[in-house]
Amino acid sequence: TKLRVYELAKQLGISSKKLITILEDLDVTVKNHMSTIDEDTAKLVIELIEEESGKGKKKSAQSYDTKKSEITSTKTEDNNKNERKVITIPRKISVKDLGVLMGIEPVKIIKKLMDYGLMVNINAEIDFESAKKLASEFEFDVTEEKEDGQDLLIKEESDDPKDLKPRPPVVTVMGHVDHGKTSLLDAIRQTSVTKQEAGGITQHIGASEVEVNGKKIVFLDTPGHEAFTAMRARGAKVTDIAILVVAADDGVMPQTVEAVNHAKAAGVPIIVAINKIDKPAANPDRIKQQLADYGLIPEEWGGDTIFVNVSAKAKTGIDQLLEMVLLVAEMSELKANYNCKARGVIIEAKLDKGRGPIATVLVQRGTLRVGDGIVAGTSYGKVRALFNSRGKRIKAAGPSMPVEVLGLSEVPTAGDILIAVSSEKEAKSIAEEQKNLQKEPEYNTPKKISLNRLFEKLQKGEVKDLNLIIKADVQGSIEAIKQALEKCSSDQVQVKIIHGGVGTITESDVMLASASDAIIIGFNVRPDSNAKKMAEKEQIDIRTYRIIYDVLDDIQLAMKGMLEPEY
Ligand code: GDP
């Protein structure tokens, strides 16, 4: 008798998204299409849809209300007949939601709570036990909502501060092509390898650990901001610190700027490594001047960005760079709980002929142990073996540690969240739930911002910032649009230009928009075909213009909720 949102949507032949909007109109709050709804609500929706199609007219909010009160009154009659109904509620529920579930006016519930000596308002949350007691007064039996597997994968549990211990920083190296990202990573790995290990084969697992002054630093082996933002777009926050590599003989280039903005949008601190300092043409001061334009101001000029001169080739400045990483890590107070079930992110995954699916997991919380049940996306299993970044077999891996995991049923996708559960059986059932979800066409299409939805989101208080990415044919236009748009900020909404660049709209821009819930504005430029495809998939709003005034006009109208939809 209990239905998932997507099941009912299927029955009704409408999209889950539409159903969720209808439910919202009915004051029934559901988390996503996996959420369950009770029979009465389902019936109500079915009636409404039938009525709607019968009349062939758009439903007005008023008739929802009429319907609702009809149902409510029949329910009250039922109650009088002493028929106890069963409702399913989560561990915590608001007075309002409980009222909706029971079909009873919140006022009555609040009165009842006052009888218990509790003064609460309609939005107050009450715990399961109180809700149960209360519901029983209204002749309802209560069962507890079981957590969806998906919830488990999405939800970040919060830790008691006293359980938190320091963890090593995770670092990504970013910068323009050929500025020396790969060389720098190599140099870092080499300087930190002990003599004993030097002869051995260093295995590539997607991340490496180095030790400086007895402290660990973890490096992600894939350089570049694209990988970094792609992970973030999938919901995985992995990097704590970004090292921005700029070649001293070349200067700030388009991808340097992109990297800066991608790191900033993620709120990740940046350390600048001025590379190729061994070259005669090296001019570190010029780099500092150029980067100052993007808000990266060196300490000696009164800013707070750390700059280090390095040469990946001559291996100079590497130790100093690593010390600075530790310094920034210390200031960031990176901590994690070591004593709980593990949760991590898939960094890399492949199929090995002999050993089956192999995934590199960066553990972010808890400790992953051999024998744990694990699930990542639709892949599940039991940890058969763990290997560290040096290829050594280990029994357990704690926070910030990259490990190779053997024992998954299929190859997961980079960016997937991996969680450890009590048994392989539980892992399997969560993975199956994920599989069902993926059959849903609505899967992976979270509600992204668009100019048309801006006003609605503003009113609901869902957004406070309007994040924009501006691409244009010339730098001058970007500046002009930026200045004009930033003036549009109002009390309710802050217009933020998170990235501006010259050239066509690329996949990288779409990724950033997806990760930062931003809208892309193209001025005299268009998206390339890959960007177009990705924007469709990620539901990113791309608007192109030829006249600056039109950009301003649209943004201002959108902020007032008066923008005509684009067809
Ligand atoms: P990436 O594209 O950013 O990963 O750059 P690479 O690491 O592939 O380096 C690009 C080129 O610059 C290669 O030919 C390197 O040998 C060279 N290179 C990298 N670092 C240095 C350096 O510190 N000094 C000099 N002279 N050349 C370097």
Side-chain angles (χ1 to χ4, degrees):
T1 51
K2 256 182 48 184
L3 277 176
R4 298 230 187 251
V5 168
Y6 78 88
E7 288 168 338
L8 180 61
K10 211 173 280 170
Q11 269 184 31
L12 293 167
I14 60 171
S15 70
S16 299
K17 206 182 270 174
K18 170 125 197 251
L19 180 54
I20 290 173
T21 341
I22 294 175
L23 287 168
E24 273 167 9
D25 282 341
L26 289 168
D27 271 348
V28 179
T29 318
V30 288
K31 237 183 281 164
N32 54 38
H33 47 277
M34 280 306 286
S35 307
T36 47
I37 41 181
D38 65 297
E39 206 183 3
D40 283 330
T41 314
K43 266 192 202 146
L44 175 55
V45 175
I46 292 168
E47 274 179 53
L48 281 170
I49 298 274
E50 275 169 2
E51 205 173 281
E52 186 176 74
S53 59
K55 281 186 198 154
K57 250 188 350 194
K58 214 173 177 294
K59 196 89 257 112
S60 72
Q62 201 193 349
S63 51
Y64 284 139
D65 284 340
T66 331
K67 259 286 166 260
K68 199 160 68 181
S69 58
E70 267 174 47
I71 298 264
T72 311
S73 58
T74 48
K75 235 185 236 172
T76 328
E77 275 165 34
D78 285 351
N79 291 343
N80 294 342
K81 282 184 221 146
N82 264 346
E83 258 179 48
R84 287 178 82 92
K85 294 205 169 171
V86 181
I87 52 171
T88 306
I89 60 171
R91 284 301 310 172
K92 275 209 159 107
I93 186 166
S94 70
V95 169
K96 187 173 156 207
D97 290 347
L98 187 61
V100 170
L101 277 176
M102 298 193 297
I104 286 172
E105 284 169 51
V107 176
K108 289 188 183 158
I109 298 178
I110 292 172
K111 271 205 191 122
K112 212 29 129 216
L113 284 166
M114 275 161 73
D115 291 346
Y116 297 165
L118 277 173
M119 298 294 289
V120 293
N121 68 19
I122 184 161
N123 291 315
E125 281 197 320
I126 52 177
D127 61 39
F128 182 80
E129 294 312 320
S130 313
K132 191 172 168 179
K133 196 167 157 200
L134 197 71
S136 118
E137 299 244 12
F138 292 101
E139 311 292 330
F140 279 88
D141 284 332
V142 167
T143 58
E144 194 190 330
E145 187 177 282
K146 220 181 129 262
E147 276 184 356
D148 291 340
Q150 206 211 3
D151 282 352
L152 269 177
L153 283 170
I154 288 169
K155 209 175 63 189
E156 293 255 13
E157 267 138 299
S158 54
D159 288 299
D160 194 324
K162 74 176 185 348
D163 295 331
L164 297 176
K165 281 206 225 107
R167 64 169 179 85
V170 180
V171 182
T172 300
V173 176
M174 302 182 186
H176 196 72
V177 65
D178 277 348
H179 279 196
K181 298 181 292 291
T182 316
S183 309
L184 185 64
L185 271 168
D186 284 346
I188 288 168
R189 271 192 297 257
Q190 280 165 30
T191 50
S192 68
V193 177
T194 60
K195 281 195 193 83
Q196 193 188 359
E197 286 166 328
I201 311 150
T202 24
Q203 203 185 347
H204 175 87
I205 72 161
S208 29
E209 286 166 290
V210 303
E211 214 171 284
V212 188
N213 307 336
K215 286 184 181 145
K216 270 192 187 147
I217 304 173
V218 178
F219 281 88
L220 297 181
D221 287 345
T222 324
H225 56 271
E226 292 89 351
F228 164 84
T229 302
M231 287 247 180
R232 211 158 66 80
R234 307 205 69 223
K237 280 191 206 126
V238 181
T239 304
D240 301 309
I241 297 168
I243 293 183
L244 179 72
V245 180
V246 190
D249 61 336
D250 198 15
V252 169
M253 299 299 276
Q255 284 174 43
T256 316
V257 177
E258 261 188 47
V260 170
N261 291 334
H262 281 234
K264 273 193 189 163
V268 171
I270 299 170
I271 296 175
V272 181
I274 302 183
N275 190 32
K276 306 197 187 184
I277 203 76
D278 58 291
K279 285 201 168 186
N283 186 351
D285 266 350
R286 192 171 61 108
I287 312 279
K288 286 179 187 167
Q289 268 156 23
Q290 290 174 336
L291 283 176
D293 288 345
Y294 298 94
L296 299 179
I297 300 161
E299 286 170 319
E300 69 255 36
W301 296 356
D304 57 5
T305 304
I306 297 173
F307 283 71
V308 185
N309 290 347
V310 300
S311 166
K313 195 177 167 194
K315 303 200 172 43
T316 53
I318 308 290
D319 289 341
Q320 205 195 340
L321 177 65
L322 295 177
E323 272 163 30
M324 290 303 137
V325 169
L326 286 178
L327 182 76
V328 173
E330 209 168 286
M331 293 191 301
S332 310
E333 291 187 16
L334 307 167
K335 285 181 178 162
N337 184 352
Y338 284 64
N339 293 315
C340 58
K341 283 252 175 304
R343 179 190 172 92
V345 177
I346 308 285
I347 303 293
E348 250 184 36
K350 61 182 181 205
L351 187 65
D352 183 278
K353 268 191 211 127
R355 302 188 293 171
I358 300 183
T360 299
V361 176
L362 182 80
V363 178
Q364 294 190 301
R365 176 174 186 269
T367 300
L368 186 63
R369 293 171 205 282
V370 173
D372 279 350
I374 42 170
V375 50
T378 59
S379 178
Y380 68 92
K382 187 171 159 176
V383 179
R384 269 198 288 128
L386 294 173
F387 296 91
N388 70 10
S389 57
R390 308 219 189 274
K392 205 176 144 219
R393 198 183 259 266
I394 51 170
K395 287 210 176 86
S400 290
M401 189 161 173
V403 271
E404 258 194 350
V405 178
L406 265 60
L408 281 167
S409 60
E410 55 186 80
V411 181
T413 314
D416 274 352
I417 304 290
L418 175 135
I419 56 164
V421 291
S422 353
S423 66
E424 189 172 357
K425 201 170 140 225
E426 192 185 343
K428 187 175 177 184
S429 85
I430 296 173
E432 267 160 14
E433 207 160 341
Q434 292 283 112
K435 226 169 241 165
N436 286 334
L437 256 175
Q438 290 194 346
K439 288 191 199 125
E440 256 286 284
E442 301 279 324
Y443 185 70
N444 264 347
T445 51
K447 282 191 194 169
K448 289 274 163 63
I449 185 92
S450 74
L451 271 194
N452 289 324
R453 268 202 305 272
L454 174 68
F455 185 66
E456 182 193 325
K457 286 203 162 202
L458 283 173
Q459 287 214 313
K460 282 193 190 157
E462 282 176 22
V463 289
K464 285 208 174 63
D465 296 333
L466 173 57
N467 290 338
L468 297 174
I469 293 171
I470 301 171
K471 294 302 285 279
D473 52 346
V474 289
Q475 186 65 35
S477 309
I478 300 172
E479 288 309 318
I481 295 172
K482 217 169 159 174
Q483 280 177 13
L485 281 179
E486 276 168 354
K487 280 193 206 117
C488 292
S489 293
S490 66
D491 290 345
Q492 298 110 38
V493 63
Q494 183 86 22
V495 179
K496 280 192 182 159
I497 317 293
I498 60 167
H499 176 58
V502 173
T504 42
I505 298 160
T506 64
E507 274 179 292
S508 175
D509 298 321
V510 177
M511 256 326 160
L512 179 62
S514 174
S516 314
D517 211 10
I519 292 164
I520 302 177
I521 292 188
F523 189 73
N524 284 329
V525 294
R526 323 204 106 259
D528 63 27
S529 63
N530 287 337
K532 222 183 244 169
K533 260 182 249 156
M534 187 183 281
E536 237 159 68
K537 194 172 137 249
E538 303 278 326
Q539 299 201 330
I540 299 301
D541 195 2
I542 300 182
R543 304 248 165 179
T544 52
Y545 299 90
R546 300 202 157 272
I547 301 167
I548 292 186
Y549 180 76
D550 287 344
V551 184
L552 299 183
D553 226 24
D554 271 10
I555 299 286
Q556 271 161 352
L557 285 175
M559 281 163 67
K560 289 185 209 137
M562 284 161 57
L563 186 73
E564 295 280 329
E566 206 173 58
Y567 296 106

